[in-house]
């Protein structure tokens, strides 16, 4: 599942594969940009911004993409077989003399002037992996709506950028509270360390092929994707439920013993049978 660390890795792949090189192939497979041809332009680089990617080209153009739940950018060498999915899922191809970047299942793809990038990312809060990271501002953003459930506040990219369903669940476990606890009810000592803990988790995983939050050899995650298996700390079965207004799939995992605070009651329509956690290709 693409979160801030995954997007950071995608930006690095794109930057290392394309930056400083001239495009020899440009193919956008979405109706709005089907006739656009960037061939001959030099790729200046790619930067991540939260869960967004900005690839910049000479002439003041930027390609804005967002991976959402299933998107992926893959970079291949000359003659290498493309393995990111079937051809009908390809939304963009950017090729140079020795590398080809292929964007699969990109639900957001937009060309804009580089000077207008703030139009698509200016609403984001401090980026956990970016140069604008500001823990005090991130915490102030989270606490601005004290009645909001912590899990929903963490997912709101306007508060801080880079957290998705996995880190939401893992952070709440490490803080010892449920994702339904109102932000304002979070004990002050835990609220103070939340931004630093979040940043530490994403930084630790931005160079790892497999996301890891536990520090344990055989178990990568404390609660996400583990229902109804036993909690790694207390052996109580981990639970899973949907959180939010239902407009998006937000599987949320927690341990009812290790985490204090409100949670869906037994028989609640929010509770769900667990399914294997989604993994992007």
């Amino acid at each position: 599942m693409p979160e801030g660390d995954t997007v950071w890795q995608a930006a690095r792949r794109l930057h290392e594969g394309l930056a400083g090189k001239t495009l020899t192939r440009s193919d956008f497979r979405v109706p709005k940009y089907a006739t656009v041809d960037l061939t001959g332009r030099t790729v200046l680089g790619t930067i991540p911004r939260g869960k967004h990617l900005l690839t910049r080209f000479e002439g003041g153009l930027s390609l804005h993409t967002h991976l959402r739940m299933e998107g992926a950018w893959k970079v291949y060498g000359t003659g290498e077989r493309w393995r990111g999915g079937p051809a009908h899922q390809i939304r963009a191809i950017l090729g140079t003399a020795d590398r080809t970047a292929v964007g699969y299942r990109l639900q957001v793809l937009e060309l804009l002037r580089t000077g207008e990038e703030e139009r698509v990312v200016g609403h984001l809060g401090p980026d956990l992996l970016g140069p604008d990271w500001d823990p005090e501002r991130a915490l102030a953003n989270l606490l601005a709506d004290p009645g909001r459930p912590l899990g929903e506040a963490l997912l709101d990219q306007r508060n801080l950028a880079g957290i998705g369903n996995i880190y939401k669940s893992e952070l709440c476990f490490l803080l010892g509270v449920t994702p339904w606890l109102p932000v304002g009810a979070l004990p002050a000592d835990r609220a103070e360390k939340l931004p630093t803990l979040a940043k530490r988790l994403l930084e630790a995983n931005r160079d790892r092929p497999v996301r890891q939050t536990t520090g344990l050899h055989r178990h990568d995650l404390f609660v996400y994707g583990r229902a109804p298996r036993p909690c790694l700390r207390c052996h109580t079965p981990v639970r899973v439920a949907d959180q939010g207004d239902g407009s998006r799939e937000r599987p949320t995992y927690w341990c009812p013993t290790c985490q204090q605070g409100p949670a869906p009651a037994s028989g609640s329509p929010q509770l769900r049978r667990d399914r294997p956690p989604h993994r992007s290709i």
Side-chain angles (χ1 to χ4, degrees):
M1 181 179 295
E3 301 197 20
D5 52 349
T6 312
V7 174
W8 192 92
Q9 292 171 8
R12 181 173 62 182
R13 286 195 302 272
L14 288 168
H15 188 84
E16 292 177 350
L18 304 179
K21 301 176 182 178
T22 301
L23 290 179
T24 58
R25 182 176 182 182
S26 165
D27 184 0
F28 296 107
R29 300 182 180 181
V30 294
K32 185 175 181 179
Y33 302 113
T35 61
V36 173
D37 185 5
L38 301 183
T39 300
R41 292 179 186 257
T42 298
V43 181
L44 302 181
T46 297
I47 64 166
R49 183 72 173 85
K51 299 182 183 181
H52 300 252
L53 288 161
L54 296 166
T55 300
R56 296 165 176 164
F57 310 94
E58 69 172 340
L61 280 181
S62 292
L63 175 65
H64 167 227
T65 56
H66 194 298
L67 305 182
R68 292 287 173 91
M69 292 292 288
E70 299 182 342
W73 274 103
K74 302 291 185 179
V75 179
Y76 302 104
T78 303
E80 187 177 357
R81 185 171 65 89
W82 297 0
R83 304 177 303 278
H88 72 266
Q89 294 182 348
I90 295 174
R91 298 293 177 265
I93 302 172
L94 299 173
T96 68
D98 63 345
R99 292 288 187 276
T100 302
V102 185
Y104 294 90
R105 300 171 298 279
L106 301 175
Q107 296 184 39
V108 174
L109 188 155
E110 178 183 12
L111 278 170
L112 67 159
R113 305 300 303 179
T114 301
E116 298 175 351
E117 289 178 351
E118 283 298 295
R119 175 171 61 81
V120 294
V121 296
H123 65 288
L124 298 175
D127 187 343
L128 282 154
L129 295 177
D132 70 320
W133 174 243
D134 183 339
E136 289 79 16
R137 182 179 156 216
L139 182 57
N141 290 346
L142 289 167
L143 295 175
D145 186 355
R148 192 175 191 186
L150 177 59
E152 294 182 23
L154 288 172
L155 288 182
D156 190 336
Q157 303 299 295
R158 296 169 298 181
N159 291 332
L160 68 172
I163 291 177
N165 284 327
I166 296 176
Y167 282 119
K168 172 190 76 172
S169 295
E170 294 296 293
L171 275 167
C172 288
F173 177 83
L174 290 168
L175 292 168
V177 299
T178 71
W180 289 270
L181 182 80
V183 175
L186 187 64
D189 61 329
R190 284 180 254 185
E192 185 177 352
K193 72 177 183 180
L194 190 160
T196 300
L197 179 59
K199 182 174 178 61
R200 185 184 308 151
L201 285 180
L202 266 72
E203 282 190 332
N205 284 288
R206 68 183 183 185
D207 293 316
R208 289 175 177 161
V210 177
R211 190 178 284 122
Q212 228 266 8
T213 63
T214 65
L216 302 174
H217 176 64
R218 297 181 59 188
H219 303 287
D220 295 326
L221 303 173
F222 280 111
V223 288
Y224 188 88
R226 288 189 53 81
R229 287 176 287 170
C231 171
L232 295 177
R233 286 184 177 170
C234 73
H235 306 296
T236 301
V238 171
R239 302 179 75 186
V240 59
D242 287 317
Q243 184 175 29
D245 60 8
S247 62
R248 296 183 182 180
E249 188 174 329
R250 297 294 195 194
T252 302
Y253 297 80
W254 80 102
C255 171
T257 299
C258 293
Q259 295 173 252
Q260 301 174 347
S266 297
S268 166
Q270 288 178 284
L271 290 173
R272 51 187 283 170
R273 289 173 177 248
D274 198 15
R275 295 177 292 186
H278 172 85
R279 296 191 183 277
S280 60
I281 299 175

